[in-house]
Amino acid sequence: MGLTIHFSGAIDHVEDIPQFVEELTDIANSMGWLAQPINMEETDPNFRGVLVNPAGNCEPLRFLFGRGGRLRNLMDLWDDRVEPNQHSFYSASKIQFASIETHIWIVGLLRYLKKHYISDLEVHDEGEYWETEDLEKLRKKKQLLPEKIDRMASALSAGEPFPEGASTEDIVTRIERIAKDLHEDKKLDD
C-alpha cells in the first residue's frame, strides 16, 4: 500500500539507449540524485539501462530495457528463464514517503523522457499528478494514506490478541472486519 508511479513503454530507437542512460545520469547528478548505469559495458546484455534514486525516501526509478527496447520489470530480468507476463513491461516506484517536490520532479522527468525518448510512455500516477497536475489533489492523496494507515494500526492494536493457534483465515477475517468498520465510521464522519 502506498502512492506509486507505474510506467511502461519502449525507447523509440534502441541505439539511443547509451545516450538515454548518459543523459539521465547527468540529470540525476544535477539534481543531487544517484544514478547507476546497468550493463552498459556489456556487448550483448539481456537488459541494460539505469537506476535513478531520487533524494529522500523514495524507491529508485528503474529504466531497464530488454533487447527489443521495451522497459522491463527488474524482477523478470534477473532470470533469463522467466517468460514475460502482463506485468513484465511495467516499472513502478513507490514514492509515498518522498516529498511533494520530489513527486513533481519525477513527473516532470517522465514528461521529458516521453517527449525525447519514449514517445509511447504510459504513466499511471496514484497521486494523480501526472494526469491532472493538480497540486492540491496530490497533497490530499499524500496526507490521506498515512491517516488511514494510522487508523488501521490503532484499531488493530486496540483489539484483543489473537488466541494461540489462530488460523490465517481467522486473522484475515478480523482484519477485514476492522477495515470495514473503519470505512463505515469514515462514511458517517463525512
Side-chain angles (χ1 to χ4, degrees):
M1 178 183 256
L3 288 181
T4 302
I5 292 180
H6 309 264
F7 52 96
S8 66
I11 195 159
D12 295 337
H13 306 283
V14 174
E15 63 275 8
D16 288 345
I17 292 174
Q19 178 183 332
F20 174 94
V21 169
E22 185 177 328
E23 186 169 354
L24 201 47
T25 299
D26 287 345
I27 291 169
N29 290 335
S30 72
M31 296 291 299
W33 298 355
L34 300 175
Q36 176 64 52
I38 304 293
N39 292 342
M40 293 308 296
E41 303 300 320
E42 309 247 344
T43 53
D44 188 26
N46 291 327
F47 65 97
R48 59 191 171 145
V50 62
L51 303 179
V52 175
N53 198 357
N57 198 359
C58 179
E59 286 184 357
L61 301 165
R62 298 175 258 322
F63 297 97
L64 301 173
F65 299 96
R67 283 195 173 111
R70 283 195 72 184
L71 285 168
R72 292 290 306 271
N73 183 305
L74 177 64
M75 298 314 293
D76 280 1
L77 296 172
W78 289 121
D79 186 347
D80 293 339
R81 295 171 294 177
V82 174
E83 289 296 319
N85 62 37
Q86 64 188 15
H87 305 289
S88 296
F89 302 107
Y90 286 87
S91 192
S93 179
K94 185 189 288 189
I95 55 173
Q96 171 183 341
F97 303 110
S99 69
I100 286 185
E101 292 78 15
T102 299
H103 192 124
I104 292 168
W105 274 105
I106 289 170
V107 168
L109 176 64
L110 291 170
R111 288 193 191 289
Y112 175 82
L113 296 176
K114 181 175 178 69
K115 183 176 180 181
H116 295 282
Y117 289 102
I118 308 172
S119 59
D120 70 347
L121 185 68
E122 293 179 18
V123 177
H124 172 69
D125 175 3
E126 292 176 359
E128 297 184 44
Y129 191 75
W130 169 271
E131 295 83 357
T132 67
E133 292 189 5
D134 185 335
L135 186 57
E136 191 55 34
K137 183 179 269 190
L138 176 60
R139 277 195 181 99
K140 286 179 182 175
K141 290 234 178 213
K142 286 185 80 66
Q143 291 169 352
L144 178 68
L145 202 52
E147 289 171 8
K148 286 187 174 204
I149 291 170
D150 289 346
R151 287 181 64 208
M152 186 67 165
S154 293
L156 288 169
S157 297
E160 290 183 33
F162 286 100
E164 190 171 323
S167 72
T168 302
E169 187 175 320
D170 294 337
I171 295 168
V172 169
T173 299
R174 184 184 296 177
I175 291 170
E176 286 175 344
R177 183 177 39 79
I178 291 170
K180 182 179 177 187
D181 290 348
L182 289 173
H183 181 71
E184 292 301 318
D185 290 348
K186 178 67 176 155
K187 284 182 8 183
L188 291 174
D189 292 344
D190 291 342

